[in-house]
Amino acid sequence: MTYYHLSHLQQLESEAIFIMREVAAQFERPALLFSGGKDSIVLVRLAQKAFSPARIPFPLLHIDTGHNFPETLEFRDKLVEDIGARLVVKLVQDTIDQGRAVEEKGVNASRNALQTVTLLDALEELQIEAALGGARRDEEKARAKERFFSHRDEFGQWDPKNQRPELWNLFNGYKQMGEHFRVFPLSNWTEMDVWQYIAKENLDIPSIYFSHDREVIDRSGTLLANTEYVTVQPNETVETRRVRFRTVGDMTCTGAVESEASSLSDIIQEVAAARQTERGTRADDKRSETAMEDRKKQGYF
């Protein structure tokens, strides 16, 4: 008898592919939430492997705040064209114009939280029953509470104290009319796992993940990109620094880190030595101790 030993990354890949196939088997209308970031890029590769030689059997859904990094949007469009996937883009600006969301005001105004309304509207319009996302348990304490199959009620809300057990890789996709699931195939992955998988698969990623010179504003320790969406305060200065981004999101709340990492091997070494989590650069997570959990309960990613 021949025994095969799977590496750590192979085990994670196998688990994620199994979950994706479970989603395809249990739900008629799934979608993959795609931001153009590293985690969703890995999800796309896993989906390709899960359903090869066929194309990915569900659309990629991007909730566009209107304040995304141009490099990310360019990468998104190129990737979708290269793999022949169907992309659905829903705009937060449309939600604001319809009066269903109100633009924040003040120094730290952001559209990040407004994505929730746009997302829930999109899921209802498209009748999506399961939305695959790239969230990982190592990212943030609220996300550490998630199951692989995260049930959402008819209002899109998440109850962290009322989740279904997941024993022996059995996933319960039963739902009532109007309810849906968020599914997280990368739950057991770490940031290091993601980068090592990207290197192993030789995946393309947006250029902002690599070190580059950029004008930034140091706002309470968070290096925000100098853009038209961020108002420079009298006590702040715009400086050009050598930075990269560990996570991709709305430009108004996604901070950069000073870095010289210009290759995947450099990034992997940097992550191995890091003492701050990747979401430690996100200003939206610093609004309160429970900022992420509060957003998730309302229907956030």
Side-chain angles (χ1 to χ4, degrees):
M1 182 180 294
T2 303
Y3 293 92
Y4 295 95
H5 175 72
L6 296 180
S7 70
H8 175 63
L9 284 181
Q10 287 174 323
Q11 291 179 25
L12 290 173
E13 178 187 69
S14 178
E15 177 183 66
I17 287 174
F18 174 77
I19 291 167
M20 286 190 165
R21 289 173 176 166
E22 278 291 299
V23 169
Q26 293 195 42
F27 302 101
E28 292 184 10
R29 289 179 295 276
L32 191 155
L33 300 177
F34 186 77
S35 67
K38 64 184 186 304
D39 301 304
S40 55
I41 291 169
V42 168
L43 278 185
V44 168
R45 172 51 60 92
L46 292 168
Q48 288 179 299
K49 290 192 173 187
F51 304 106
S52 177
R55 290 185 178 182
I56 299 174
F58 37 73
L60 309 187
L61 174 60
H62 182 208
I63 306 301
D64 187 348
T65 65
H67 296 169
N68 295 96
F69 289 93
E71 299 96 327
T72 306
L73 297 181
E74 292 171 8
F75 178 89
R76 176 200 70 185
D77 294 339
K78 182 178 184 301
L79 177 64
V80 168
E81 181 181 358
D82 288 345
I83 67 175
R86 176 189 169 205
L87 174 67
V88 178
V89 179
K90 295 297 180 179
L91 306 176
V92 171
Q93 185 62 56
D94 290 344
T95 305
I96 295 171
D97 293 342
Q98 294 162 8
R100 292 186 47 74
V102 179
E103 193 91 70
E104 289 185 356
K105 298 180 181 180
V107 175
N108 296 312
S110 173
R111 288 186 175 181
N112 196 53
L114 304 188
Q115 294 179 86
T116 298
V117 181
T118 309
L119 173 61
L120 294 177
D121 286 350
L123 296 179
E124 182 177 2
E125 176 190 343
L126 301 171
Q127 297 183 308
I128 300 299
E129 300 173 309
L132 292 146
R136 310 184 321 270
R137 292 185 181 127
D138 78 315
E139 287 183 272
E140 204 273 342
K141 56 189 177 183
R143 286 185 168 168
K145 300 178 183 179
E146 288 278 20
R147 298 287 195 265
F148 283 107
F149 276 39
S150 180
H151 175 265
R152 304 299 171 103
D153 65 20
E154 64 271 27
F155 301 105
Q157 297 174 328
W158 172 64
D159 183 357
K161 296 182 179 180
N162 185 25
Q163 297 192 73
R164 299 172 180 180
E166 292 180 341
L167 307 175
W168 306 292
N169 286 337
L170 297 176
F171 303 109
N172 183 356
Y174 176 78
K175 66 178 186 63
Q176 300 283 358
M177 182 69 71
E179 299 175 344
H180 72 276
F181 282 83
R182 308 287 172 84
V183 181
F184 304 110
L186 304 184
S187 289
N188 287 336
W189 296 50
T190 65
E191 182 186 10
M192 177 63 80
D193 294 328
V194 169
W195 283 117
Q196 289 180 332
Y197 190 78
I198 288 172
K200 171 180 171 291
E201 296 291 314
N202 194 28
L203 301 180
D204 290 331
I205 56 175
S207 60
I208 61 173
Y209 280 119
F210 297 109
S211 178
H212 59 282
D213 292 329
R214 183 181 291 264
E215 288 188 349
V216 296
I217 304 160
D218 187 341
R219 179 163 294 172
S220 302
T222 299
L223 299 180
L224 297 176
N226 180 33
T227 73
E228 60 183 304
Y229 310 117
V230 178
T231 302
V232 182
Q233 300 304 297
N235 63 329
E236 297 174 333
T237 58
V238 177
E239 303 176 85
T240 298
R241 298 196 192 181
R242 192 76 174 166
V243 300
R244 74 176 191 87
F245 292 87
R246 291 176 67 183
T247 180
V248 166
D250 192 292
M251 287 190 286
T252 60
C253 61
T254 304
V257 293
E258 293 191 271
S259 171
E260 294 293 335
S262 58
S263 67
L264 285 175
S265 59
D266 290 343
I267 290 175
I268 289 171
Q269 291 181 25
E270 186 177 272
V271 170
R275 292 296 176 264
Q276 182 184 50
T277 66
E278 63 194 288
R279 291 197 68 92
T281 62
R282 293 291 293 265
D284 52 325
D285 288 352
K286 299 177 181 179
R287 293 190 173 190
S288 73
E289 282 293 317
T290 59
M292 171 64 83
E293 183 161 331
D294 292 342
R295 295 200 305 274
K296 287 177 70 66
K297 287 179 179 179
Q298 296 168 0
Y300 188 74
F301 298 109

